[in-house]
């Protein structure tokens, strides 16, 4: 088992603790019974979100090198995004705007970071519970697949699992290094 | 105090003499005219409605609302029942609170809401809005694709107007009607699924095809078109697949290439949104194409290529008009005959088109549409002659439905 | 009493019959108790509307002379309108689009008909119960007054009295000849 | 099956070494930064929300929804309670079904919904969205203007978060806060009304002023600005009225002309939407003006005239930037530095502006906005220097609120 496997498992356990065993198992059970591809579950329970201080620029000061501007569609992490950039909506590329909730499931892209030349796996978690932000619309489809392959599909409203499935904007979180290179670059 | 009302009237209105324009009747609402073959519904996600246009006049005939989802879930029509259906999602507090999903039933002639059927609150919400629901062939059952993210299908009996039940569909998505009691789906392992219902709309059986495409290297797009018992799907790399759903299991046919090697070397590629359309009487396939690399499968097309399905060859090329020009002209309120309008339409490069649909009759119209502006145009589908714009289609949207 | 007075009174009586004495009186009573300016009540009861066949052009063939094009903002009846023209939304200048309901109250304008050179009183009844039509937006304010003078105010959502107060588009009905001329022409 | 999830992860993710970019935390939502004096809320009726912009950076800080009405009912703020209020209307079926109205209560720092108070379902719905609700001075009571079409006012106790009651207000409209327990209204007979509440928020008394304007020949617009105990209203013909609400009855003051005879002869006229703004510390009034005839009182202004209220004279003229150019540039996605962008901004005539607001601090910003596009710009309110655009404000809307 790799570190990320352990992390995913730990995340699932953590989530189970938060929403209570019954709720978690019933959701997981439904997914399994449905025979659907089970989606990566993030350690965020329904309606529970941490609030963090605002970082006006939307930029992450911890990132090495020149990452570029996360309010631009061309920003490297956006290689498979489809929606409004949370960086332009009062959030950042990694956090939801005030009052919105990050959904616990998402689709995945693989994008190359120009700052270190490496390929990263990106989770495009949607922020939910408020109407469309309407700013910085960005649609890039490198690696995007049709919705029968959902965890690679940016056309899906990925607010499933949030308390409201109304879509507001999309983030772009780093999961870790990717084994495959950015497709269709 | 009621006298004051009369005084108000007195102040502004005098007696009408016989020769004057007579007072209008109040409280009237129109019904739709007789259906023609040249109607089209256009989704508008910002206004959250779909508008019915007459392709011959370019005029709007009516509107149905569509709330609660990312983008439009376009209307579905039962000609036999004279009803139009819209899948809707409502929250108790607008964008918050308890979610409830419904099939809203409209009278197709008056566009009045005449009924609703509550369904499980998991109706799929997908940007392109296509094949998320369907009326099956004898128009008794309506099927709804659910994604929560686990996939399933809800079945509604249109005759009794009640929810029948939910069918779990292993890793398969979308609903492609294929008979009175059957529909197809596409699956994440490169297969197609056939689902058969019994007379009560309950699951009778499911059957899976052999794998016929590779989800990673060359997937087929979900934007299929129906050809009788068969469904046609184009792959990202430009191969046309067909799946026959008439038998016990779905039967994929050998794909053929929509591009020559030379065209492929020049980076010609299918893509857009509702990017293929089929006119069955003439066996013509319309395909939105552009030049671009991998990952551009949702970009607008610069051309529409017309194929003879029998001969498997391209027989015509249609160029979409500059849909951005007409959009900008309308929203800026610039006179269409003005110098500014001309400059605008000339200056702004044509953005191409994302979607095509064609009417089913013998003198078919081809509708083309641009996703980011929602702007649309109408062609004679036989000659390829541009006929007119559909003006003020809204501010966005790509899906179109011929009712 | 002029003919129009009798007509208004008859209209009120007709409406009272349709919605039932209690409903009508309670609404009227509320308006009177509120001391508000009582608005002209059209003979349309809540939720009751007649459906008429569609007239594709939106033009009224009974009108004398050249009235102009009711899908244009410049059309004479629109001199005090603010909204989307029902003629562009599947209705006409005198009828609501399919599936929408004409509200029983409205604001009033006075516009000159170029076909006969006379000034007419116009009721701008809104069509309601479906979201904004979004076509042929037209805002002309000849004679428009602030909302404390409501029956001359085109800024008000005039869907009060309809079963849903969601605004779709606006019509322009002739009440009769006006005694005053078109203001601010 | 759960193992499949791990396999999915395995396929795309390898172990992260120490030197790589670390994984991001998930599930985070930001809170707003410390409030500055240069924030502004902009209504957007098509997206049905209001967005909070920072006038210094031009960036968006957050959004609140606002559903169910013709145009925005902008947010109202209690600084003391740290709460933001939005009047909302919901229907059981989106645009149909039972109507319910609420004051939705947001935490001003997190923009989370922290409460709601149901009010009678008659909240006024008026295109301009201004003064339909107000927080009274000590921030205990919120008042809502109702129009059904009979006028009344609903009172909400913000401390106990409950609806107190409804006050009938004879032929008078809008709510202009004028103290902890009092507000003004404008009436259809050319008077102003003062409504006083008791400590429980119930009606204590009403008092009507002498008539001070003619509703037909020269009405005042509803777009008043507050100057302490007084409210300033401009009339259609360009006279500035003031009404003092501090006494037992509202006291209108003699109006003065915003235009010289020569300017009036040249057809200069006030108008737009939120067409006047007051900076109290410097006693400067900003007024959107244009040249036009009667009936153009809602047209966009080509200039903003700045008055010294004490001296009652014009001291400055500010010209709004071409707000249509920046709007078109953003929706067409044209590079701001491109030749096309330059042509677009140059070619399309400036549409002027409908609205102005000014911040309350010593280094005030002036925000200007164009109704049909929603586009907005920022000026230094003292020098009149243009500072920046607020980009992507939406697709329409004119109302602005300094929280």
């Amino acid at each position: 088992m790799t570190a990320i496997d352990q992390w995913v498992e730990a995340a699932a356990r953590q989530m189970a603790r938060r929403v209570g065993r019954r709720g978690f198992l019933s959701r997981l059970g439904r997914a399994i019974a449905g025979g659907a591809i089970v989606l990566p579950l993030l350690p965020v329970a329904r309606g529970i979100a941490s609030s963090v201080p605002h970082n006006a620029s939307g930029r992450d000061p911890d990132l090495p090198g020149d990452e570029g501007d996360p309010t631009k569609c061309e920003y490297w992490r956006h290689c498979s995004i489809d929606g409004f950039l949370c960086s332009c909506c009062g959030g950042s590329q990694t956090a939801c705007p005030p009052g919105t909730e990050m959904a616990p499931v998402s689709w995945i892209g693989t994008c190359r970071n120009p700052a270190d030349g490496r390929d990263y796996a990106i989770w495009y978690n949607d922020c939910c519970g408020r109407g469309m932000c309407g700013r910085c619309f960005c649609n890039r489809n490198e690696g995007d697949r049709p919705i029968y392959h959902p965890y690679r599909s940016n056309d899906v409203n990925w607010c499933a699992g949030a308390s409201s499935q109304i879509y507001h904007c999309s983030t772009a979180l780093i999961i870790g290094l990717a084994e495959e290179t950015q497709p269709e670059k | 105090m009621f006298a004051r009302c009369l005084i108000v009237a007195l102040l502004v209105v005098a007696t009408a003499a016989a020769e004057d324009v007579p007072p209008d009747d109040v409280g009237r609402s129109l019904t739709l005219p007789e259906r023609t073959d040249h109607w089209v519904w256009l989704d508008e996600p910002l206004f959250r409605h779909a508008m019915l246009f007459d392709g011959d006049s370019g005029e709007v005939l009516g509107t149905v609302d569509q709330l609660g989802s990312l983008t439009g879930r376009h209307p579905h029509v039962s000609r036999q029942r004279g009803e139009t259906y819209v899948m809707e999602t409502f929250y108790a507090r607008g964008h918050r609170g308890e979610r409830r999903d419904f099939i809203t039933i409209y009278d197709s002639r008056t566009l009045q809401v005449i009924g609703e059927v509550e369904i499980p609150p998991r109706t799929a919400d997908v940007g392109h809005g296509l094949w998320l629901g369907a009326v099956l062939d004898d128009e008794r059952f309506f099927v709804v694709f659910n994604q929560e993210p686990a996939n399933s299908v809800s079945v509604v009996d249109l005759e009794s107007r009640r929810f029948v039940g939910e069918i779990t569909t292993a890793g398969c998505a979308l609903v492609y009607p294929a008979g009175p009691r059957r529909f197809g789906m596409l699956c994440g392992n490169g297969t197609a699924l056939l689902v058969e219902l019994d007379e009560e709309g309950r699951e009778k059986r499911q059957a899976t095809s052999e794998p016929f495409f590779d989800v990673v290297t060359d997937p087929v797009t979900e934007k299929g078109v129906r050809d009788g018992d068969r469904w046609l799907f184009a792959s990202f790399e430009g191969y046309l697949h067909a799946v026959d759903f008439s038998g016990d299991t779905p039967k994929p046919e050998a794909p053929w290439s929509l591009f020559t090697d030379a065209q492929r070397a020049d980076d010609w590629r299918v893509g857009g949104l509702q990017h293929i359309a089929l006119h069955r009487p003439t066996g013509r396939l319309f395909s939105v194409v552009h030049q671009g690399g991998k990952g551009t499968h949702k970009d607008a097309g610069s051309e529409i290529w017309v194929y003879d399905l029998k001969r498997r060859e391209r027989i015509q090329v249609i160029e979409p008009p500059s849909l951005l020009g007409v959009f900008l002209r309308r929203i800026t309120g610039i006179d269409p005959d003005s110098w500014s309008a001309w400059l605008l339409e000339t200056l702004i490069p044509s953005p191409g088109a994302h979607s095509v649909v064609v009417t089913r009759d013998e003198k078919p119209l081809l509708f083309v549409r641009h996703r980011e502006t929602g702007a649309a145009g109408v062609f004679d589908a036989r000659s390829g002659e541009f006929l007119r714009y559909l003006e003020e289609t809204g501010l966005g949207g790509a899906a179109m439905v011929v009712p």
Side-chain angles (χ1 to χ4, degrees), chain B residues 221-376:
Chain B
T221 79
E222 317 94 309
K223 293 87 176 183
V225 292
R226 187 174 179 181
D227 184 16
D229 290 332
R230 299 154 76 235
W231 278 83
L232 310 181
F233 301 99
S235 74
F236 281 28
E237 298 299 326
Y239 294 90
L240 195 73
H241 294 256
V243 182
D244 186 331
F245 286 100
S246 63
D248 281 349
T249 55
K251 291 269 176 305
E253 299 172 10
W256 58 276
S257 178
L258 291 167
F259 300 111
T260 64
D261 290 346
Q263 288 161 354
R264 194 164 265 121
D266 283 344
D267 277 338
W268 284 103
R269 181 173 287 280
V270 301
L273 195 126
Q274 201 170 0
H275 63 86
I276 55 174
L278 174 67
H279 187 247
R280 286 194 78 205
T282 53
R284 283 165 161 230
L285 183 81
F286 300 83
S287 171
V288 179
V289 296
H290 69 280
Q291 288 174 286
K294 285 172 188 288
T296 65
H297 53 279
K298 291 183 196 160
D299 288 10
S302 56
E303 297 183 357
I304 296 152
W305 288 8
V306 189
Y307 294 86
D308 182 310
L309 274 190
K310 282 239 169 60
R311 282 149 57 198
R312 296 191 169 179
E313 64 182 37
R314 191 182 79 179
I315 54 172
Q316 204 176 348
V317 172
I318 297 174
E319 209 174 305
S322 179
L323 295 173
L324 189 54
V326 66
F327 173 77
L328 291 178
R329 174 162 67 62
R330 283 311 296 241
I331 67 165
T332 55
I334 290 173
D335 183 344
D337 301 322
S338 72
W339 189 81
S340 298
W342 177 83
L343 253 174
L344 206 60
E345 289 178 43
T346 312
L347 253 180
I348 310 285
S350 173
H354 293 85
S355 292
V356 280
V357 285
V358 63
T359 63
R360 301 173 212 161
D361 56 317
E362 303 296 316
K363 295 180 180 176
L365 298 182
L366 177 76
F367 298 101
V368 304
R369 198 166 184 211
H370 178 252
R371 171 189 175 186
E372 275 102 36
T373 59

Side-chain angles (χ1 to χ4, degrees), chain B residues 4-225:
Chain B
R4 202 156 161 186
C5 171
L6 300 185
I7 293 161
V8 165
L10 264 168
L11 283 173
V12 292
V13 186
T15 36
E19 72 271 26
D20 305 316
V21 181
D24 290 311
D25 291 337
V26 291
R28 297 190 310 150
S29 298
L30 298 187
T31 56
L32 292 178
E34 283 297 328
R35 200 184 63 76
T36 78
D37 291 323
H38 288 173
W39 287 7
V40 65
W41 282 103
L42 268 63
D43 262 4
E44 216 295 345
L46 272 165
F47 282 103
R48 306 174 191 210
H49 63 209
M51 272 194 161
L52 181 62
F53 282 81
D54 180 337
D56 290 322
S57 66
E59 286 186 4
V60 161
L61 301 171
T63 309
V64 295
D65 279 333
Q66 191 290 107
L67 299 176
S69 64
L70 190 62
T71 49
R73 301 199 192 114
H74 61 74
H76 298 261
V77 174
S78 163
R79 291 197 184 183
Q80 211 169 288
R81 296 185 186 280
E83 293 174 348
T84 299
Y85 311 101
V86 182
M87 300 181 283
E88 292 194 284
T89 294
F90 305 119
Y91 288 88
R93 297 289 184 276
H95 290 162
R96 315 180 299 277
E98 192 203 359
R99 171 179 170 170
R100 296 176 69 183
D101 287 17
F102 293 86
I103 304 294
T104 303
I105 305 173
Y106 290 87
D107 179 307
S108 291
R109 193 70 191 273
T110 65
L111 296 187
Q112 301 271 8
V113 174
I114 54 172
E116 64 181 20
V117 179
E118 188 156 11
I119 52 174
R122 329 182 230 287
T123 314
D125 188 11
V126 173
H128 58 68
L130 301 173
W131 304 118
L132 305 179
V135 177
L136 299 190
D137 278 9
D138 68 354
E139 308 187 349
R140 161 107 189 252
F141 294 108
F142 189 91
V143 288
V144 178
F145 170 56
N146 298 318
Q147 200 176 34
E148 199 215 15
N151 298 339
S152 67
V153 172
S154 295
V155 180
V156 168
D157 184 337
L158 295 174
E159 202 158 286
S160 63
R161 290 189 184 168
R162 61 186 186 85
F163 167 65
V164 176
E166 204 171 347
I167 298 170
T168 55
T169 52
C172 302
L174 304 145
V175 281
Y176 301 101
R181 301 286 178 272
R182 57 171 63 202
F183 58 91
M185 302 183 84
L186 289 175
C187 309
N189 57 1
T191 65
L193 179 74
L194 168 71
V195 179
E196 266 194 273
L197 306 181
D198 65 17
E199 283 307 305
E200 277 65 55
R202 312 220 165 249
E203 180 178 345
K204 189 172 164 189
R205 57 185 285 275
Q206 296 192 11
T208 304
S209 74
E210 291 300 303
F212 67 101
F213 66 93
D214 187 307
V215 174
V216 174
T217 59
D218 189 23
V220 298
T221 79
E222 317 94 309
K223 293 87 176 183
V225 292

Side-chain angles (χ1 to χ4, degrees), chain A residues 90-166:
Chain A
S92 73
Q93 78 272 44
T94 60
C96 288
T100 64
E101 179 192 0
M102 193 179 282
V105 286
S106 82
W107 80 104
I108 301 174
T110 304
C111 305
R112 181 163 299 163
N113 183 352
D116 62 9
R118 288 161 178 269
D119 291 296
Y120 288 84
I122 307 289
W123 267 337
Y124 295 104
N125 289 76
D126 285 344
C127 298
C128 311
R130 210 145 287 179
M132 289 186 287
C133 157
R135 301 186 87 226
C136 298
F137 177 72
C138 175
N139 182 203
R140 289 171 61 190
N141 299 301
E142 296 147 46
D144 164 75
R145 290 291 173 268
I147 68 159
Y148 51 75
H149 195 40
Y151 75 91
R152 284 290 200 180
S153 180
N154 68 19
D155 249 344
V156 174
N157 174 350
W158 277 106
C159 283
S163 8
S164 154
Q165 283 87 61
I166 295 289

Side-chain angles (χ1 to χ4, degrees), chain A residues 14-15 30 43 70 75 78 80 113 122 148 150 166 179 182:
Chain A
Q14 186 181 348
M15 184 171 167
R30 202 156 49 218
Y75 177 62
H78 297 157
S80 194
N113 183 352
I122 307 289
Y148 51 75
I166 295 289
E179 273 188 352
Q182 176 175 336

